[in-house]
C-alpha cells in the first residue's frame, strides 16, 4: 500500500499520551472552532451504517462540514459490505475516493479487515464490541467537570457490552479507576478486561468487575449506564429485562455519591437502565456529553485525516 494510515478501531492502538492529546485537541476545537474551519478542506468522509444512529451520523456529518470537508452517508443495506462485495475490495475502492471511512457495524472483525486493506483511515463508529468515539466524548465531559482524569472513579452499571469495553480501555489509558457492575452472565469480555487491567497497572487505573449493585456507587465520581439490550440483541430483549432487574441507576444509587455526575451514551430507556429522575436530574450531564461527540470526533478527524495523520 502506498500510504499506511492511522486508524481508530478500539483506542488500544493509541498510547496514553496520544489519548490525552486527542482530549486536549477536542477541548481546543470546542473553544476555537473557527481555527479549524479549513482543516479538512476538500476532503471527504464515507460513513457506512449497518445499524441505526442519530448522534454518530449527525455529529460526524456536521463535524466534517465544520472542518471544511464533506461527509457521505452510505446505507449499509445498499453497499452490503461483505455480501455484495468483499470487505477488502470495499476498502480498496472506497479509499480511492475518500480520505476517511467511518463505519458502524456488527462484527468487530469487519473494521479490522477494512483497516488492513484501506489507504484511508478507518474510524470505528461502533461495533458489537467497541465504541471508541463515544468514550472520547465521555472523558472530555468528565475532564470538563473535574478538571482532571487521573484518580477518578467511574462506576458503570449494567450490561458488559461495547460501552463497558471502551470505558475500560480509555480508563486504563488515563489513570481512571473503572468498576463494572453487571448481572452474572453479562460480564464484559474477559480478554478485554485483562488487557485493560494490564494497561491500567502501568497508568494507575484499577479495572474491576463486580455483581452487587447496592453500595457500588460509594466513592464514585462518574456513574454510567447503557441500554440492557444493544442493537442486534432485539430478540433477547424480554429475557434481558428480567435478568437486569435491579441493575438500574436510581436516585437511591446516586445518593451514595452526591458529588458524582451521571452519564449515558444515549439513546436511553427511562424506567429500565435509568430512572427519569436521574437522567433528567441535577447530577446528569448527558446533553453536554452528547454535544461533545461533535468536538471529540472533530479532534479524531483532524488527527487522522489532517496533515498530522499522514505517516
Ligand atoms: N451514542 C450513540 O452512539 O448514539 P447513536 O446510536 O444515536 O449514534
Ligand atoms: N450498547 C449500545 C450503544 C448504543 C450507542 C448498542 O450497541 O446498541
Amino acid at each position: 500500500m502506498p500510504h499506511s494510515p492511522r486508524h481508530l478501531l478500539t483506542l488500544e492502538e493509541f498510547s496514553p499520551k496520544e489519548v490525552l492529546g486527542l482530549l486536549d485537541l477536542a477541548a481546543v476545537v470546542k473553544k476555537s472552532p473557527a481555527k479549524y474551519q479549513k482543516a479538512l478542506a476538500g476532503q471527504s468522509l464515507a460513513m457506512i451504517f449497518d445499524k441505526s444512529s442519530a448522534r454518530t451520523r449527525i455529529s460526524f456529518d456536521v463535524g466534517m462540514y465544520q472542518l471544511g470537508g464533506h461527509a457521505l452517508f452510505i446505507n449499509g443495506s445498499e453497499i452490503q459490505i461483505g455480501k455484495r462485495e468483499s470487505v477488502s475490495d470495499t476498502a480498496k475502492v472506497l479509499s480511492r475516493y475518500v480520505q476517511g471511512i467511518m463505519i458502524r457495524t456488527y462484527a468487530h472483525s469487519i473494521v479490522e479487515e477494512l483497516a488492513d486493506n484501506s489507504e484511508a483511515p478507518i474510524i470505528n463508529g461502533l461495533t458489537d464490541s467497541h465504541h471508541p468515539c463515544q468514550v472520547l466524548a465521555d472523558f472530555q465531559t468528565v475532564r470538563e467537570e473535574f478538571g482532571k482524569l487521573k484518580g477518578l472513579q467511574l462506576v458503570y452499571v449494567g450490561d458488559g457490552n461495547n460501552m463497558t469495553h471502551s470505558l475500560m480501555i480509555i480508563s486504563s489509558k488515563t489513570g481512571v479507576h473503572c468498576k463494572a457492575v453487571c448481572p452474572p452472565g453479562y460480564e464484559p469480555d474477559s480478554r478485554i478486561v485483562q488487557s485493560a487491567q494490564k494497561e491500567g497497572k502501568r497508568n494507575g487505573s484499577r479495572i474491576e468487575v463486580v455483581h452487587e449493585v447496592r453500595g457500588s456507587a460509594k466513592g464514585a465520581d462518574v456513574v454510567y449506564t447503557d441500554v440492557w439490550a444493544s442493537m442486534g440483541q432485539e430478540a433477547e430483549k424480554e429475557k434481558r429485562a428480567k435478568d437486569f432487574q435491579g441493575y438500574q441507576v436510581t436516585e437511591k444509587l446516586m445518593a451514595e455519591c452526591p458529588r458524582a455526575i451521571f452519564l449515558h451514551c444515549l439513546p436511553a430507556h427511562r424506567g429500565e437502565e435509568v430512572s427519569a429522575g436521574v437522567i433528567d436530574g441535577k447530577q446528569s450531564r448527558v446533553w453536554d456529553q452528547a454535544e461533545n461527540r461533535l468536538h471529540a470526533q472533530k479532534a479524531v478527524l483532524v488527527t487522522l485525516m489532517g496533515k498530522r495523520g499522514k505517516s
Side-chain angles (χ1 to χ4, degrees):
M1 251 190 278
H3 166 61
S4 166
R6 192 100 204 256
H7 307 289
L8 171 56
L9 305 190
T10 66
L11 267 184
E12 280 163 319
E13 62 279 74
F14 283 73
S15 70
K17 201 169 154 209
E18 287 171 331
V19 172
L20 291 173
L22 280 172
L23 295 174
D24 287 341
L25 183 59
V28 175
V29 164
K30 183 172 182 175
K31 197 163 170 228
S32 313
K35 272 194 199 159
Y36 295 87
Q37 263 169 359
K38 295 196 179 115
L40 298 183
Q43 298 205 35
S44 297
L45 175 77
M47 309 191 298
I48 305 169
F49 283 93
D50 283 332
K51 292 175 175 172
S52 305
S53 170
R55 280 146 289 271
T56 305
R57 175 177 176 179
I58 298 160
S59 55
F60 267 108
D61 195 332
V62 172
M64 275 305 287
Y65 173 75
Q66 292 182 357
L67 294 169
H70 151 260
L72 169 78
F73 173 75
I74 302 167
N75 188 327
S77 63
E78 278 166 26
I79 195 163
Q80 293 186 50
I81 196 163
K83 295 189 194 92
R84 182 168 182 264
E85 194 162 21
S86 72
V87 176
S88 59
D89 285 1
T90 305
K92 285 174 191 146
V93 171
L94 281 186
S95 59
R96 294 290 176 102
Y97 301 137
V98 299
Q99 291 68 45
I101 301 169
M102 196 280 294
I103 177 161
R104 165 168 290 196
T105 190
Y106 293 89
H108 189 73
S109 57
I110 294 179
V111 298
E112 290 174 335
E113 201 178 338
L114 278 176
D116 286 344
N117 291 281
S118 173
E119 287 176 32
I122 302 296
I123 300 171
N124 177 2
L126 180 144
T127 59
D128 289 345
S129 46
H130 295 275
H131 198 1
C133 294
Q134 177 68 53
V135 294
L136 285 168
D138 301 342
F139 274 41
Q140 180 177 6
T141 313
V142 173
R143 205 149 80 145
E144 285 171 352
E145 182 73 27
F146 298 100
K148 63 168 192 175
L149 291 173
K150 216 172 179 54
L152 295 179
Q153 170 78 59
L154 183 149
V155 174
Y156 172 93
V157 179
D159 187 23
N161 61 13
N162 43 11
M163 280 313 314
T164 325
H165 296 151
S166 292
L167 285 166
M168 285 185 161
I169 291 167
I170 196 167
S171 295
S172 75
K173 301 268 178 191
T174 53
V176 170
H177 306 304
C178 181
K179 176 164 72 180
V181 188
C182 310
Y186 293 96
E187 297 87 353
D189 183 329
S190 59
R191 200 188 43 79
I192 297 174
V193 177
Q194 279 161 24
S195 145
Q197 283 170 333
K198 212 164 142 200
E199 177 73 356
K201 250 193 198 135
R202 288 191 281 269
N203 302 308
S205 320
R206 202 173 45 248
I207 309 291
E208 55 186 331
V209 181
V210 303
H211 296 121
E212 179 65 42
V213 181
R214 198 186 313 162
S216 65
K218 273 195 195 114
D221 300 291
V222 181
V223 176
Y224 201 116
T225 191
D226 184 18
V227 291
W228 290 339
S230 285
M231 290 182 276
Q233 296 172 334
E234 289 77 10
E236 297 172 34
K237 211 170 179 314
E238 270 177 40
K239 176 171 168 34
R240 283 172 170 264
K242 284 196 197 103
D243 293 347
F244 281 82
Q245 281 311 309
Y247 287 82
Q248 190 191 56
V249 179
T250 58
E251 287 90 327
K252 195 168 162 209
L253 189 73
M254 292 306 290
E256 291 181 8
C257 50
R259 283 193 299 275
I261 60 169
F262 170 75
L263 298 180
H264 191 310
C265 55
L266 306 177
H269 298 130
R270 288 169 177 76
E272 292 181 24
E273 75 275 4
V274 61
S275 68
V278 169
I279 194 167
D280 300 316
K282 282 202 309 293
Q283 288 171 277
S284 177
R285 297 290 180 276
V286 298
W287 315 123
D288 296 326
Q289 178 188 9
E291 178 191 329
N292 283 338
R293 292 294 301 277
L294 174 66
H295 311 298
Q297 285 159 196
K298 282 170 75 177
V300 168
L301 291 166
V302 168
T303 303
L304 298 186
M305 292 169 67
K307 281 192 208 87
R308 294 166 44 189
K310 307 261 192 285
S311 54

